[in-house]
Amino acid sequence: MHALRRRRGRTALREVAVTAVRPAADATGVVSAGAGGGHGDLPLPLPPDSNAAHTAPMQFSVVTYNIHKGFSHLTRRMVIHELKEKLHGMSADVLFLQEVQGVHHRHAARHRNWPGKPQHEFIADAMWSEVAYGRNVVHRHGHHGNAMLSRFPIVAQENSDISAHAFESRGLLHCEISLGEGVPALHCLNVHLGLFERGRRWQIQALVERINETVPRDAPMVIAGDFNDWRRKGDRTLTDALEVVEVFDEVKGRPARTFPSVLPVFRLDRIYVRGLAVVDAHVHYAFPSSRMSDHAALAATFEIPHPKR
C-alpha cells in the first residue's frame, strides 16, 4: 500500500505519531494455587513472562460523521467551529469523516472566521496527531473528500477513485493503522457512496474486491462512512461477501437512523467490522440539530480479542 504521511512542521506527509494503547494489566498481580498444590488459597506471584496472558483485551473507539463541508442542514450557515467542538467532545481514537473541505477559496473570502487550514487539519488540532485526506471532488473553488484522523500512527494510506459516472465523484480512503506492539494492524476503509443505486452496486463491488485483495482475512477491519444505502441492498452484499457485521445491527438489532439529522428517517451511515468484538454503539444527534450537519454521527467501541493459542 502506498504510504503517505504528514508530520507537523515538515514538508513530508506525516504528523507526530502518538501511540495510545490503553493499559489494562491485572489489578492484583497474583493467582491462587490450584488444588493439590499444597498452598490452599495462598496467592502466588505471577511469573514476569505470564503478565500478557492476564492482560485484558485492548479497546478503542471510532466515530463516523458526514460533516457536510462544515455547513448546517440545507447549507444555511457555517458550523465548522461547532463541529470541531462536538467531535472533540466525543474523543474517539479514530475518526472517519466524509465531505471534508480541503480547500474552498470562495468560502474563505466570504466567511470572516473560515479556518486558515484544511478542515481535517483544523478539526484534528492537538487531539488527533495523525491525519489522512483523500481528495475526491475537484472544482474551480477548491476540493473536498474523505479524511481519517487518528491517535495511533497511520502507517499507510491509499485513496481510490470509485466514481460510477462523471457527474458524481466518489472515493474510498484505505488506511492501515498501528495500534501498538504485539497488536495486529487495523485496516480502516472510509467510504462515501453515490446517490444512485446502480452506481452504488458497482462501488460496493469495488469495495469488496479491494478488501479481498489487500486485507488479510485475520486482520481487524473497520468500514465506515455514508453509504446512502437506504434500501439496505448494499448491506446484504457486504455482510454476505465479507462476513462483516454492522455494529448497530449487532447491538440494537438494526442500523441507526441518521438522515436527516433534524428528524432522522433514513439509515444511511454505517459502521461494519470484522475481527473485532463490538462493545457498544451510540448515535449522536446534534443539538440543536438544525445548527449542525444534515447527518447524525455514529460512535462505537471495539475490543481486540486475544489471539487463539
Side-chain angles (χ1 to χ4, degrees), residues 161-198:
D161 184 355
I162 56 169
S163 304
H165 51 77
F167 305 103
E168 193 180 39
S169 299
R170 301 291 177 173
L172 185 165
L173 180 59
H174 182 180
C175 292
E176 194 172 333
I177 296 176
S178 174
L179 297 176
E181 186 177 354
V183 181
L186 173 68
H187 287 260
C188 295
L189 295 102
N190 187 354
V191 302
H192 186 189
L193 302 187
L195 297 174
F196 303 102
E197 189 169 302
R198 181 177 180 181

Side-chain angles (χ1 to χ4, degrees), residues 182-245:
V183 181
L186 173 68
H187 287 260
C188 295
L189 295 102
N190 187 354
V191 302
H192 186 189
L193 302 187
L195 297 174
F196 303 102
E197 189 169 302
R198 181 177 180 181
R200 283 199 305 275
R201 284 200 301 268
W202 181 86
Q203 290 165 347
I204 288 172
Q205 187 56 43
L207 173 62
V208 169
E209 290 175 2
R210 174 164 185 88
I211 290 171
N212 287 336
E213 292 171 1
T214 63
V215 180
R217 186 61 187 83
D218 58 349
M221 177 179 69
V222 180
I223 313 167
D226 179 358
F227 287 80
N228 279 314
D229 181 32
W230 60 279
R231 296 176 66 185
R232 296 192 64 180
K233 290 189 174 182
D235 175 77
R236 290 186 284 272
T237 301
L238 287 173
T239 53
D240 290 345
L242 297 173
E243 297 181 356
V244 295
V245 296

Side-chain angles (χ1 to χ4, degrees), residues 279-295:
V279 177
D280 59 32
H282 302 281
V283 187
H284 292 263
Y285 298 109
F287 181 81
S289 50
S290 60
R291 292 172 57 86
M292 303 293 279
S293 168
D294 55 350
H295 286 251

